[in-house]
Amino acid sequence: MAQSTEEVADAAILELWRCIHLHHLRTIKLQRATRYLLASAMILVAMTAEKMLFELF
């Protein structure tokens, strides 16, 4: 109750900016993790295919 409307608005804007910034950082980390997971899956498929081919001969 001791804060003015302007102070409350500034605090809300600051909190919103912080939330947006954290969301952006988390999105970047998720994209990076997704790329690593996709690359790992491709390597696993390639290794499995190689093993299956060598078992045929």
Side-chain angles (χ1 to χ4, degrees):
M1 298 302 276
Q3 292 180 331
S4 68
T5 306
E6 186 175 323
E7 290 173 336
V8 171
D10 286 342
I13 290 170
L14 181 62
E15 182 67 20
L16 179 61
W17 181 87
R18 189 180 73 77
C19 289
I20 291 170
H21 183 68
L22 285 174
H23 184 270
H24 180 69
L25 291 177
R26 289 177 182 153
T27 302
I28 290 171
K29 288 181 180 181
L30 181 61
Q31 288 172 346
R32 188 176 300 141
T34 304
R35 280 189 218 116
Y36 285 131
L37 182 61
L38 180 59
S40 299
M42 290 172 40
I43 291 170
L44 180 63
V45 168
M47 290 174 64
T48 304
E50 180 185 25
K51 183 178 180 184
M52 290 174 68
L53 284 174
F54 281 129
E55 286 180 0
L56 292 176
F57 296 111

